[in-house]
């Protein structure tokens, strides 16, 4: 995915846009995740202003005080090459952050958890990973057996018991985004083609973007009604990613 320049919050009531994180020239924000209480923003940042060789690190920002803290620096866990951090998720009611680390060759190093003070531990049990991160291979296997198609589980909306997944349509040469109940019943085509990434919220709405050439379109989707709002058209600006905070 392309890096992000800044992260902002849009208030649907006041129609005001508030910038909560912005990268300096030479730096890039690669992924981010908001805590359940909306008080902390975890994000992956790289660039010459933070590390001499432009490596990646995992940071957390206190949105009340503005303080930014480095939790995981480059090569702190991966000794074989440059770290690549992704799949951020707050767990334990926002007390810890779950993340995945890859080497500079794209090989997965493993799953890890850090608290907000930077105390990191590796998650080595597959059962523990599946418990922390519900996007498990078990759901993937069940979907592929049921549909007899190439399927990719994209996310699980735990608060409304929904699973989001993509199905590749070979005839049309495109991925189509679906949602279903956790028992895989009531599958619904959401009308999203070639979804690039998905950012869930803590209710039944989520953000999804699509990329067509250089054009990025960002949607807010309500899984209870399968309705979607084009955020680019709503805000009349180019948006490459967003987080839904609630009404």
């Amino acid at each position: 995915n392309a890096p992000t320049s800044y992260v902002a919050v849009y208030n649907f009531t006041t129609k005001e846009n508030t910038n909560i994180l912005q990268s300096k020239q030479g730096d890039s924000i690669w992924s981010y995740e908001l805590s359940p209480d909306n008080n902390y923003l975890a994000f992956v940042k790289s660039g010459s202003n933070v590390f001499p060789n432009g490596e990646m690190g995992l940071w957390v920002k206190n949105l009340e005080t503005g303080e930014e803290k480095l939790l995981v620096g480059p090569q702190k866990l991966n000794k074989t090459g440059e770290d690549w951090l992704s799949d951020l998720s707050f767990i334990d009611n926002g007390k810890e952050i779950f993340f995945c680390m890859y080497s500079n060759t794209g090989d997965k190093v493993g799953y890890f958890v850090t608290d907000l003070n930077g105390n990191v531990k590796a998650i080595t049990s597959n059962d523990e990973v599946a418990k922390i991160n519900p996007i498990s291979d078990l759901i993937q296997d069940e979907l592929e057996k049921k549909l007899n198609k190439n399927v990719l589980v994209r996310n699980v909306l735990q608060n409304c018991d929904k699973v989001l997944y993509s199905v590749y349509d070979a005839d049309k040469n495109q991925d189509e985004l679906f949602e279903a109940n956790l028992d895989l019943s009531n599958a619904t085509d959401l009308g999203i083609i070639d979804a690039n990434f998905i950012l869930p919220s803590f209710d039944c709405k989520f953000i999804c973007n699509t990329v067509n050439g250089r054009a990025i379109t960002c949607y807010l989707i309500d899984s209870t009604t399968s309705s979607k709002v084009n955020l680019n058209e709503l805000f009349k600006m180019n948006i490459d990613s967003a987080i839904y905070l609630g009404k």
Side-chain angles (χ1 to χ4, degrees):
N1 293 335
T4 299
S5 299
Y6 67 92
V7 180
V9 174
Y10 180 83
N11 188 310
F12 281 91
T13 302
T14 65
K15 302 187 184 306
E16 294 180 341
N17 212 37
T18 303
N19 190 358
I20 61 174
L21 182 67
Q22 183 158 2
S23 62
K24 298 179 181 178
Q25 186 174 1
D27 295 343
S28 297
I29 301 166
W30 291 94
S31 60
Y32 53 88
E33 179 74 12
L34 194 69
S35 65
D37 59 8
N38 297 340
N39 289 333
Y40 293 93
L41 183 73
F43 60 97
V44 174
K45 182 168 66 172
S46 69
S48 57
N49 290 310
V50 291
F51 302 115
N53 297 318
E55 302 99 332
M56 285 187 172
L58 173 59
W59 303 68
V60 67
K61 181 174 183 177
N62 186 321
L63 297 180
E64 294 184 337
T65 66
E67 179 190 9
E68 294 183 10
K69 181 190 297 184
L70 175 64
L71 301 181
V72 181
Q75 298 190 14
K76 183 172 183 178
L77 297 172
N78 175 17
K79 305 301 183 182
T80 61
E82 179 183 347
D83 301 333
W84 183 276
L85 307 175
S86 65
D87 303 333
L88 305 183
S89 178
F90 276 93
I91 61 174
D92 193 17
N93 294 320
K95 298 178 182 177
E96 296 181 314
I97 302 168
F98 172 90
F99 65 96
C100 184
M101 181 176 288
Y102 296 84
S103 72
N104 59 346
T105 60
D107 296 323
K108 184 183 294 182
V109 176
Y111 294 102
F112 301 88
V113 168
T114 178
D115 63 17
L116 301 187
N117 292 315
N119 298 309
V120 181
K121 62 181 179 181
I123 306 300
T124 58
S125 165
N126 289 335
D127 291 339
E128 191 174 0
V129 170
K131 184 178 180 180
I132 294 174
N133 181 18
I135 310 176
S136 67
D137 293 336
L138 295 176
I139 297 178
Q140 180 109 1
D141 291 342
E142 290 179 15
L143 275 168
E144 289 185 343
K145 289 178 181 177
K146 181 175 182 178
L147 301 176
N148 194 28
K149 294 181 178 180
N150 292 328
V151 176
L152 176 62
V153 173
R154 305 301 298 270
N155 224 302
V156 175
L157 306 178
Q158 298 184 72
N159 291 336
C160 52
D161 296 328
K162 297 279 190 178
V163 57
L164 305 174
Y165 62 93
S166 295
V167 177
Y168 178 68
D169 188 322
D171 294 334
K172 298 179 181 178
N173 191 29
Q174 63 187 25
D175 283 317
E176 300 171 349
L177 186 63
F178 290 78
E179 69 173 15
N181 297 331
L182 288 185
D183 62 3
L184 308 184
S185 63
N186 297 326
T188 302
D189 186 347
L190 295 176
I192 299 292
I193 304 300
D194 295 333
N196 187 34
F197 68 82
I198 293 170
L199 291 172
S201 65
F202 296 100
D203 59 15
C204 292
K205 295 183 177 67
F206 64 94
I207 298 292
C208 173
N209 88 353
T210 63
V211 179
N212 183 5
R214 294 186 176 182
I216 299 176
T217 305
C218 201
Y219 296 94
L220 172 64
I221 301 177
D222 187 341
S223 66
T224 59
T225 62
S226 301
S227 60
K228 60 181 182 287
V229 175
N230 186 321
L231 298 182
N232 299 58
E233 294 179 353
L234 177 66
F235 302 145
K236 301 186 185 306
M237 64 174 65
N238 295 326
I239 299 174
D240 59 16
S241 66
I243 296 178
Y244 177 72
L245 303 181
K247 295 181 179 179

